Amino acid sequence: MKKVYLETFGCQMNVSDSERIASVLASDGFEMTQNENIADVVLFNTCSVREKAEHKLYTRIGQIRKFAGRNPVVGVLGCVAQLEGETLFKKSDGIDFVLGTQAVGRISEAIGNVFEGQKGYVDLEKREENYDWSVTENQRHSPYVAFVPIIEGCNKFCTYCIVPFSRGREKSLPAADIIRHVIKLRQQGIKEVHLIGQNVNSYRPTNDSTLEKSRGATAFSKLLRAVAQTGMERIKFTTSFPRDFHPDIVEAINENENLCNWVHLPVQSGSNEVLRAMRRGHNIESYFKKIDTIKNSPRRLSLTTDIIVGFPGETYKNFQDTLKMIEYCRFDSSYIFKYSPRPGTPAFDIVDNVSPSEKKERFMELDGLQKLIQQEIFKSYINRTIKVLVEKASVKDDTQFSGHSTCQKVVNFKGSSELLGKIVDIKITEAKVNTLFGSVI
Ligand code: 5AD
Ligand code: SF4
């Protein structure tokens, strides 16, 4: 049996794609391995959202070619594959084949062709009509948590972002398939699903007769109510796009206990001038309105975001607006990135007048303030009891367990393996900047 090692970079969509790639390979007679040194085939599912992620690919290919001892077939999949296509063979001579973001269902065919001696194999074509979105149980990243893609691609074309080019136009999956998928996962014992997509709340299926029975101001809030009806214990969704974030989403959460206490709403900047240059489709006033709706929920919804510092043209004054913005929003956590120019995006052609050292300083300043806010929020959990899905034992100490709260915080506690997969009450006793600690009650 040929052994395949698969390494994944980037976002949840890539993790989800990799789960399906592994499922296809396993059912086609390959054996998945965690050990790159014994693999006959090494696959990289790549990310192109920032330069660093792309560089990592070339470093890893170099390492495989140098240290593997054997000469495995190397395949590049995902976003870098889609964008670069056959130019990848020129960029690195360690690559045997290239498979784009929508071609991943044809992975076995690609490997088969390379084994038969085909050189320069590239498939960047569309997803097959009857593509199978399911994942076999032992290829899931967690036995208790499952990703359910509901929309792929992106139509937003924010000026800094490569995703619309690497993942193509938005395409919503049929609601009936999504509901069926969630029901099946529930039967398999999955406790938590994450409805995923680049912009889940832009969900717009072509035929939504399944959603007709469901109440809601938008197709997405109808879908949320319909998924809640499946009885799945916990439902999370990410990522939401601010412009399309309808207050009815918060209503749906308020009405359904199993829709979790968490919204991820990337703001990117606190400055209207920068938001305009990024072509985000929202301004800071409209964003604050959405934040107010989320904060006014009778449940305490945790709020997370993405922010880019040092976008071309961002002045220090613009940046100060971002500092003010995070003081207003008080995010439970935020992913802060230094702007990274991506060839092919509109922002790539703007002269970048923010130096690397200014980018770094802004990153540090914003990160420092975020940490202060976050520490206060995390400390406010001390002595409170929250529900945590017990997901895994610590690698170093098998009496220590961890999982996520409904508000998507990582919680560590002492426990035993019978708790795995259960939702338990944990009383919080200590708070670090990114993690809570507590004990089972
Ligand atoms: N540079 C830096 N960060 C970026 N992101 C997307 N494109 C870029 C870029 N060119 C960030 C955004 C997005 C997150 C997934 O990655 O904040 O929300
Ligand atoms: Fe990129 Fe903007 Fe689409 Fe998000 S919404 S994937 S940032 S283009």
Side-chain angles (χ1 to χ4, degrees):
M1 222 184 222
K2 297 271 189 227
K3 293 189 179 62
V4 182
Y5 169 82
L6 168 60
E7 189 168 308
T8 308
F9 307 118
C11 66
Q12 282 181 326
M13 197 51 103
N14 267 17
V15 174
S16 167
D17 283 341
S18 285
E19 292 179 343
R20 277 173 272 111
I21 292 165
S23 301
V24 168
L25 288 171
S27 82
D28 286 345
F30 293 92
E31 182 188 331
M32 300 307 293
T33 171
Q34 306 290 331
N35 182 355
E36 64 194 60
N37 296 320
I38 60 163
D40 303 292
V41 181
V42 173
L43 303 176
F44 293 108
N45 193 6
T46 58
C47 170
S48 55
V49 83
R50 282 170 292 276
E51 208 173 359
K52 239 197 210 150
E54 203 171 323
H55 278 161
K56 209 152 125 197
L57 167 68
Y58 302 111
T59 312
R60 288 293 290 128
I61 292 173
Q63 288 167 342
I64 293 290
R65 286 293 178 228
K66 207 160 163 196
F67 298 113
R70 321 155 31 121
N71 206 17
V73 164
V74 171
V76 177
L77 324 175
C79 291
V80 178
Q82 187 68 39
L83 292 165
E84 300 285 340
E86 59 188 348
T87 60
L88 270 176
F89 297 121
K90 289 196 202 100
K91 288 199 171 176
S92 163
D93 55 11
I95 300 171
D96 295 301
F97 74 95
V98 175
L99 212 58
T101 46
Q102 297 197 32
V104 288
R106 299 184 286 274
I107 181 68
S108 302
E109 199 180 316
I111 296 174
N113 279 316
V114 176
F115 276 134
E116 274 165 27
Q118 200 168 324
K119 297 266 174 266
Y121 186 88
V122 180
D123 180 354
L124 306 178
E125 295 308 309
K126 290 252 164 305
R127 207 177 283 291
E128 19 324 26
E129 278 301 319
N130 57 352
Y131 180 76
D132 183 1
W133 289 89
S134 63
V135 173
T136 48
E137 280 177 67
N138 47 359
Q139 304 302 341
R140 216 169 268 130
H141 72 283
S142 157
Y144 318 111
V145 181
F147 292 147
V148 176
I150 68 165
I151 178 169
E152 62 171 336
C154 182
N155 291 349
K156 308 299 191 276
F157 291 94
C158 302
T159 53
Y160 51 82
C161 188
I162 198 71
V163 169
F165 306 94
S166 60
R167 289 213 166 252
R169 295 298 77 74
E170 280 170 12
K171 190 157 181 257
S172 298
L173 274 70
D177 293 356
I178 296 166
I179 307 292
R180 224 177 290 124
H181 194 170
V182 175
I183 291 172
K184 192 166 154 218
L185 291 169
R186 184 171 179 233
Q187 287 161 352
Q188 290 172 346
I190 291 289
K191 293 292 163 61
E192 178 174 307
V193 293
H194 291 215
L195 307 178
I196 63 166
Q198 238 65 49
N199 298 296
V200 281
N201 57 327
S202 308
Y203 180 72
R204 215 156 279 121
T206 39
N207 174 1
D208 68 351
S209 61
T210 311
L211 293 181
E212 273 165 22
K213 291 171 247 136
S214 188
R215 207 163 33 80
T218 65
F220 180 63
S221 57
K222 285 181 185 180
L223 180 73
L224 280 180
R225 289 186 175 89
V227 175
Q229 283 303 306
T230 63
M232 173 56 71
E233 212 140 345
R234 284 178 163 197
I235 300 147
K236 296 178 177 173
F237 55 88
T238 180
T239 295
S240 297
F241 186 64
R243 193 196 63 199
D244 295 346
F245 193 88
H246 196 285
D248 191 41
I249 296 172
V250 179
E251 273 306 304
I253 294 176
N254 293 343
E255 291 161 16
N256 295 280
E257 191 62 36
N258 55 350
L259 296 178
C260 287
N261 296 352
W262 172 46
V263 176
H264 182 63
L265 201 60
V267 60
Q268 311 299 359
S269 169
S271 150
N272 278 338
E273 246 174 89
V274 175
L275 288 171
R276 242 189 328 272
M278 289 176 163
R279 260 188 248 140
R280 282 290 289 173
H282 70 262
N283 57 33
I284 209 61
E285 291 76 21
S286 66
Y287 186 82
F288 283 171
K289 253 197 209 150
K290 319 245 167 180
I291 296 303
D292 293 344
T293 310
I294 296 165
K295 299 248 174 187
N296 286 334
S297 162
R299 311 226 302 256
R300 191 199 171 272
L301 305 184
S302 113
L303 185 65
T304 59
T305 200
D306 296 344
I307 300 171
I308 297 175
V309 294
F311 186 77
E314 182 189 74
T315 62
Y316 189 70
K317 195 173 166 303
N318 293 149
F319 171 69
Q320 283 176 314
D321 289 337
T322 299
L323 294 170
K324 277 187 223 139
M325 180 274 297
I326 72 161
E327 300 235 38
Y328 183 85
C329 298
R330 292 184 64 82
F331 298 108
D332 291 72
S333 78
S334 75
Y335 299 90
I336 303 169
F337 307 104
K338 284 180 274 181
Y339 169 72
S340 168
R342 306 284 56 221
T345 61
F348 189 76
D349 300 326
I350 313 174
V351 178
D352 188 356
N353 55 355
V354 188
S355 70
S357 65
E358 281 171 309
K359 283 185 175 47
K360 189 164 173 213
E361 279 161 23
R362 290 179 196 179
F363 177 93
M364 303 287 280
E365 192 173 349
L366 187 61
D367 189 53
L369 178 58
Q370 172 60 32
K371 283 207 172 97
L372 285 178
I373 296 168
Q374 203 168 311
Q375 186 72 84
E376 284 173 16
I377 296 174
F378 275 51
K379 280 223 167 99
S380 72
Y381 279 83
I382 293 178
N383 288 327
R384 275 175 54 192
T385 298
I386 56 175
K387 292 203 179 300
V388 175
L389 171 59
V390 186
E391 289 164 54
K392 58 180 186 221
S394 150
V395 192
K396 287 186 227 136
D397 175 355
D398 63 7
T399 66
Q400 288 296 321
F401 286 76
S402 74
H404 287 85
S405 62
T406 141
C407 55
Q408 192 62 3
K409 298 208 168 26
V410 176
V411 184
N412 291 319
F413 48 91
K414 220 176 184 51
S416 59
S417 55
E418 303 92 76
L419 296 179
L420 281 168
K422 299 210 167 78
I423 293 174
V424 296
D425 285 323
I426 303 280
K427 185 165 180 192
I428 303 302
T429 51
E430 193 191 341
K432 293 207 173 142
V433 74
N434 286 311
T435 329
L436 295 173
F437 295 81
S439 35
V440 182
I441 57 163

